[in-house]
Amino acid sequence: MKTLLLIFAVVVALPGVATSIHLSIICFASVFFRPRPIAESRDQVFLIVVPARNEALVIGDTLTSLKDATQDEDIILVVADRCTDDTAAIARDAGALVLERTEGAVPGRAAAVEDGIAFASNLEWTAVSVIDADSVVNEEFFLALDAALADDRPLAQPRSEHIRSPGFLARASEAAFAMQGVALPRGRQVLGIGVRLRGSGMSMMRDIAESTGYERKGASEDLFMSLGLVLRGYSTEHVDDARLESLSAPSLKAGGQQRIRWEQGRLGAAREFIPKLLKRGTPASVESAILLMTPPFAVAAFLVVLGALIAFLAGSDSIALVLALFAVLLALDVAIALIEARAPLATWLSLVVAPFYIIWKTGLQAVAIVRWRQASEAYEPTSRE
């Protein structure tokens, strides 16, 4: 009986162990990251596409930050996507160019972005950056992107973090984004395997933007686009000095729905892309396949701890200790990410509730697995209510 329990403990923990090894290699590499110097002048003229679906409550701050970061020749285009509020009017008052999509248009953020790029086909620009309507950028944003983008480096993704705000979900999300938006992109850049486009902030040269459409209209459409570009041999550069901050979901319910959509998309991408990525055989494609084959951070932590507990109850202190060490590695990854993101004390203190967050995320993962076939469906944006 004890032998069966030990085998079960190892089987349960193995996916989490794989995630621990994978993420730890990248996080430890991030320590050696050095940003590309920012030039004093720019070569690119940016088209900034802001897809917005009923974002009147937040789009004003977004446009103010974009105005402060852009030059006169840049174009800020708000795609008011079937809005029933004052989003379009607020954008016009802020001096942005506005494209209004009416009821009957293909739903979803991906379709809005594609319509925006098509609408701007007769305008003068050399690079595009997609900024969500709930995001703000720093004043050096486009200077830093300009230094990263070139004909031989056509893709760039800025440093991505959450706007700091009170609340359990906001603090937990800040810690998660420190990993996903700072430490892991830095590590991938150091290892030379390229980062992935993350939606808000994704930037590219014009020829790529006009020749590359979204392969999926729905959950994680940016992940599908990014993986398609990896298969074509493109690499995305992480731009640490271009900083983008986004609002977290205002409630556990909204945050849960948002994360279920992300995981639905990830599961759909795993089904479609893993064989192709492994067959491609480049470091970037193999690492992307590993990402899709292994569970996300919170689920990995849950599985490793559960496996260690089962091993301990089965009487094998040595196996339990080994598995616990992989949980410690995951904790070190979070610590590295928070240090690199210069997280405040409040964010560190929020880790006290990490066990509850991990259980919550694991439950959402189970829901996503049950509903994964909905990953291609368009969905409404996160509620601000």
Side-chain angles (χ1 to χ4, degrees):
M1 183 64 179
K2 286 186 177 181
T3 301
L4 289 176
L5 274 178
L6 287 176
I7 293 173
F8 180 64
V10 172
V11 169
V12 166
L14 270 180
V17 169
T19 294
S20 178
I21 294 171
H22 175 221
L23 296 185
S24 295
I25 290 172
I26 299 173
C27 282
F28 293 155
S30 72
V31 175
F32 301 97
F33 174 81
R34 298 295 180 269
R36 181 185 296 276
I38 299 178
E40 295 183 1
S41 61
R42 280 175 36 187
D43 295 324
Q44 310 302 334
V45 176
F46 281 90
L47 168 68
I48 301 102
V49 178
V50 184
R53 166 77 164 158
N54 291 336
E55 298 284 14
L57 293 176
V58 296
I59 196 170
D61 290 338
T62 299
L63 295 176
T64 297
S65 75
L66 291 174
K67 284 288 186 180
D68 291 341
T70 51
Q71 297 178 354
D72 291 342
E73 61 268 29
D74 296 323
I75 303 162
I76 301 174
L77 172 62
V78 173
V79 183
D81 183 20
R82 300 163 295 130
C83 294
T84 57
D85 64 2
D86 295 329
T87 296
I90 292 170
R92 287 194 181 94
D93 289 344
L97 186 63
V98 177
L99 167 63
E100 293 194 63
R101 302 179 80 236
T102 58
E103 288 299 331
V106 177
R109 178 180 175 278
V113 172
E114 288 182 338
D115 282 357
I117 292 174
F119 176 80
S121 61
N122 293 324
L123 303 178
E124 297 295 326
W125 52 278
T126 62
V128 62
S129 186
V130 178
I131 306 294
D132 284 353
D134 63 351
S135 301
V136 296
V137 303
N138 64 330
E139 289 190 15
E140 295 77 27
F141 189 84
F142 294 104
L143 272 173
L145 284 177
D146 187 90
L149 286 168
D151 289 339
D152 60 339
R153 299 188 308 275
L155 303 171
Q157 181 68 36
R159 172 174 172 153
S160 181
E161 298 173 280
H162 263 306
I163 295 173
R164 287 171 180 166
S165 55
F168 159 73
L169 182 61
R171 290 298 182 186
S173 296
E174 189 177 323
F177 259 61
M179 173 83 72
Q180 297 295 332
V182 182
L184 292 179
R186 283 181 169 188
R188 289 188 172 106
Q189 187 77 13
V190 169
L191 294 171
I193 53 179
V195 302
R196 267 170 290 283
L197 300 174
R198 289 178 53 83
S200 191
M202 70 176 191
S203 304
M204 60 190 71
M205 298 295 286
R206 180 167 183 161
D207 60 333
I208 299 293
E210 293 186 325
S211 64
T212 303
Y214 284 92
E215 299 186 24
R216 178 68 62 92
K217 306 290 196 300
S220 298
E221 64 261 5
D222 302 305
L223 174 61
F224 278 75
M225 174 187 280
S226 185
L227 293 172
L229 289 167
V230 168
L231 288 175
R232 290 167 57 185
Y234 289 105
S235 178
T236 303
E237 180 153 342
H238 172 66
V239 189
D240 207 69
D241 287 320
R243 301 192 176 191
L244 179 143
E245 295 181 320
S246 304
L247 286 169
S248 61
S251 66
L252 279 175
K253 179 181 178 181
Q257 292 171 342
Q258 187 181 63
R259 284 158 178 78
I260 288 172
R261 292 198 303 264
W262 291 344
E263 290 308 319
Q264 286 174 330
R266 174 183 162 114
L267 291 167
R271 178 184 176 89
E272 181 170 334
F273 281 97
I274 286 175
K276 300 175 186 177
L277 291 166
L278 292 175
K279 184 178 180 180
R280 184 74 169 83
T282 64
S285 68
V286 171
E287 192 274 329
S288 296
I290 292 171
L291 175 73
L292 295 175
M293 288 189 292
T294 53
F297 181 93
V299 178
F302 177 83
L303 293 176
V304 170
V305 171
L306 179 61
L309 180 60
I310 295 172
F312 176 77
L313 294 176
S316 178
D317 294 346
S318 58
I319 292 178
L321 178 60
V322 169
L323 294 179
L325 289 176
F326 286 106
V328 171
L329 273 180
L330 289 171
L332 286 175
D333 295 340
V334 173
I336 289 171
L338 291 179
I339 290 170
E340 292 184 354
R342 298 183 180 180
L345 178 60
T347 302
W348 286 90
L349 293 177
S350 72
L351 297 179
V352 172
V353 296
F356 301 100
Y357 182 79
I358 288 171
I359 293 171
W360 178 66
K361 285 292 297 292
T362 302
L364 296 179
Q365 181 72 19
V367 174
I369 291 172
V370 172
R371 300 180 183 174
W372 76 268
R373 290 185 182 277
Q374 299 173 17
S376 62
E377 297 177 4
Y379 53 85
E380 291 299 304
T382 300
S383 172
R384 301 295 167 200
E385 301 287 325

